[in-house]
Amino acid sequence: MPVSAQPAATPAASLVDLLRGSALLASLSPERAALFATAANEKHYRKGKVLYLQDDAAEKLFFIRKGWVKLFRETLDGEEAISDILTSGHTFGETSIFFDGHYSESAQLVEDATLVEFPARLLKEEITTNPVFAQAMLSVMMKHRRRQAMEIEHLTVQNTAQRIGCFLLRLCSDKKGLGSVTLHLPYDKLLLAARLGMQPETFSRALAKLRTETNLSIQGATVVVPDLEKLVQYCCNACSNAYPCES
Amino acid sequence: MPVSAQPAATPAASLVDLLRGSALLASLSPERAALFATAANEKHYRKGKVLYLQDDAAEKLFFIRKGWVKLFRETLDGEEAISDILTSGHTFGETSIFFDGHYSESAQLVEDATLVEFPARLLKEEITTNPVFAQAMLSVMMKHRRRQAMEIEHLTVQNTAQRIGCFLLRLCSDKKGLGSVTLHLPYDKLLLAARLGMQPETFSRALAKLRTETNLSIQGATVVVPDLEKLVQYCCNACSNAYPCES
């Protein structure tokens, strides 16, 4: 259940701007963006809220205005495999529209979040009637494919310490130059371990190794990297991308 | 260099049928399929041939008529990360078209192959002018995203023996019922280990474990699975898909 729903009178204009600022929805015409905004529902949810489960009918597409959302699947054994943890500006739920109309994974909030929800049929309509939108969607899909391909590469080529380092480097790709850098983990270490596909013990051992190799220190959610170049060298030599990478 | 190129007079008709039978190219109109066929170049290459390297200008899209092609990237350390090994009916090289026009990975033949090559610009044109084609392409991309998502899940949740078993199960997804099944590995074990992101020693240990757990036996390229249900149970309990899976 949403914590609160915005009143129906919320001006659509700001939503239109928001939508047109997203990679997927930027190519909507002003008229269609207005239509999307009118059909949209902005909701606030608390951490822990399950938005949908794998195999549920896929009726909605979601845009994250604020917060963190975990996408995951469960094995028959009951183990959870996290496929992504997304934040502001990302959309999710869109891939299901192309198959049998069922979500291919489950979605749950890992922090309180504000989401904009759209009827899936709007997206379908847009793809079939607006070639520019279909191309924008293709472009977003391709980027996602590349990101997944890099993740597969890292899982097979990098060691666990390098994979944690790689995650940290992606957090500081907006930092200019090298030298000392202070970062903040976006969510807790247990979740980070799960996102990286590691058991908590494996994660702890890997983190200890990364500390020794690169001299970084972690206090709560704060990570101090005293020598970014050292971290880059340690992680990126086991990767086919150079730092800073696009994905 | 191609081993031999088909003469220019090769009837385009059979190529048209071939193209329209591929998932990506099925939605071409008869006229466009004929245009693709006229612009296409069918070539035969020997095992080991490098078709293109990561970062080369992406001028061509490839369709595999026969044979096996390996897509891979190289880390700065010189290690090879195989992202896919494809065979008849698959296209590759198409994702590069959407970015900066450079291939995002390298492609090399792992067996002698017959390939149909198209100018990349034809695909670009088709996407911008044919909404049905753009949707078909989206559908293919989405399937690929799901396949990659499953691969990431397996890399994080399954053990190495289960991952080999899962590969074998995908080879026999066309076999009806359970019981005893005989399979043939499509390429050699060293390449299979690399495709699964395992060092040869890890692969050997995992295979020994899989033999013990499921009683299967391997002689050269022939794999005998005496009890398919046992293999399914061993592998698919650590997966969010039920057997037989779509991907």
Side-chain angles (χ1 to χ4, degrees), chain A residues 159-162 164-165 168 185 189 203-227 230-231 234-235:
Chain A
N159 67 35
T160 46
Q162 286 166 331
I164 299 176
L168 297 177
L185 295 179
K189 280 185 217 148
F203 181 81
S204 294
R205 278 197 301 274
L207 199 55
K209 185 176 164 67
L210 187 64
R211 274 201 197 97
T212 313
E213 295 282 351
T214 67
N215 302 325
L216 64 76
S217 61
I218 300 195
Q219 193 77 38
T222 305
V223 183
V224 177
V225 181
D227 184 352
K230 200 166 191 166
L231 182 62
Y234 180 66
C235 302

Side-chain angles (χ1 to χ4, degrees), chain A:
Chain A
M1 293 290 290
V3 177
S4 68
Q6 287 214 347
T10 301
S14 67
L15 244 188
V16 172
D17 291 343
L18 184 81
L19 299 187
R20 302 196 73 202
S22 98
L24 181 58
L25 303 169
S27 64
L28 294 175
S29 67
E31 296 73 27
R32 290 293 293 179
L35 186 71
F36 266 69
T38 308
N41 233 328
E42 185 165 320
K43 289 184 180 171
H44 310 284
Y45 293 108
R46 287 254 190 263
K47 175 178 177 172
K49 163 78 183 173
V50 174
L51 295 166
Y52 53 78
L53 290 173
Q54 184 181 336
D55 298 329
D56 279 358
E59 285 160 1
K60 291 181 203 162
L61 156 76
F62 297 82
F63 176 85
I64 309 175
R65 188 159 219 176
K66 192 166 165 266
W68 290 89
V69 177
K70 172 178 79 173
L71 303 179
F72 65 103
R73 295 168 63 100
E74 256 178 55
T75 68
L76 217 59
D77 278 342
E79 203 169 336
E80 187 177 289
I82 299 181
S83 62
D84 223 335
I85 296 182
L86 301 171
T87 190
S88 319
H90 286 266
T91 47
F92 61 96
E94 74 278 16
T95 51
S96 308
I97 295 168
F98 282 82
F99 289 95
D100 53 1
H102 292 83
Y103 292 114
S104 60
E105 49 200 359
S106 306
Q108 185 181 22
L109 301 208
V110 293
E111 296 294 341
D112 290 0
T114 304
L115 303 176
V116 184
E117 306 175 359
F118 305 92
R121 62 164 176 77
L122 270 190
L123 193 74
K124 257 189 164 163
E125 272 171 33
E126 197 66 27
I127 288 163
T128 47
T129 56
N130 178 356
V132 181
F133 183 80
Q135 285 166 59
M137 182 116 182
L138 261 174
S139 199
V140 170
M141 292 301 108
M142 298 273 189
K143 272 187 194 145
H144 197 91
R145 257 184 78 164
R146 284 213 181 178
R147 203 155 71 93
Q148 283 180 317
M150 286 313 298
E151 189 160 345
I152 292 171
E153 179 188 312
H154 292 163
L155 280 163
T156 52
V157 177
Q158 290 188 330
N159 67 35
T160 46
Q162 286 166 331
R163 276 164 52 215
I164 299 176
C166 177
F167 180 88
L168 297 177
L169 285 174
R170 270 174 281 145
L171 292 180
C172 60
S173 57
D174 58 337
K175 312 263 187 259
K176 299 282 172 243
L178 296 173
S180 173
V181 172
T182 300
L183 306 169
H184 298 279
L185 295 179
Y187 35 81
D188 71 51
K189 280 185 217 148
L190 213 61
L191 190 60
L192 175 55
R195 171 67 189 95
L196 295 174
M198 297 179 203
Q199 295 299 324
E201 322 77 78
T202 311
F203 181 81
S204 294
R205 278 197 301 274
L207 199 55
K209 185 176 164 67
L210 187 64
R211 274 201 197 97
T212 313
E213 295 282 351
T214 67
N215 302 325
L216 64 76
S217 61
I218 300 195
Q219 193 77 38
T222 305
V223 183
V224 177
V225 181
D227 184 352
L228 191 59
E229 196 168 358
K230 200 166 191 166
L231 182 62
V232 167
Q233 204 173 355
Y234 180 66
C235 302
C236 304
N237 280 357
C239 179
S240 61
N241 266 350
Y243 177 84
C245 49
E246 17 167 325
S247 63

Side-chain angles (χ1 to χ4, degrees), chain B residues 86-113:
Chain B
L86 302 171
T87 189
S88 318
H90 286 267
T91 47
F92 61 96
E94 75 277 17
T95 51
S96 308
I97 295 167
F98 282 81
F99 289 95
D100 54 359
H102 291 83
Y103 292 114
S104 60
E105 48 200 359
S106 306
Q108 185 181 22
L109 300 209
V110 293
E111 296 294 341
D112 290 359

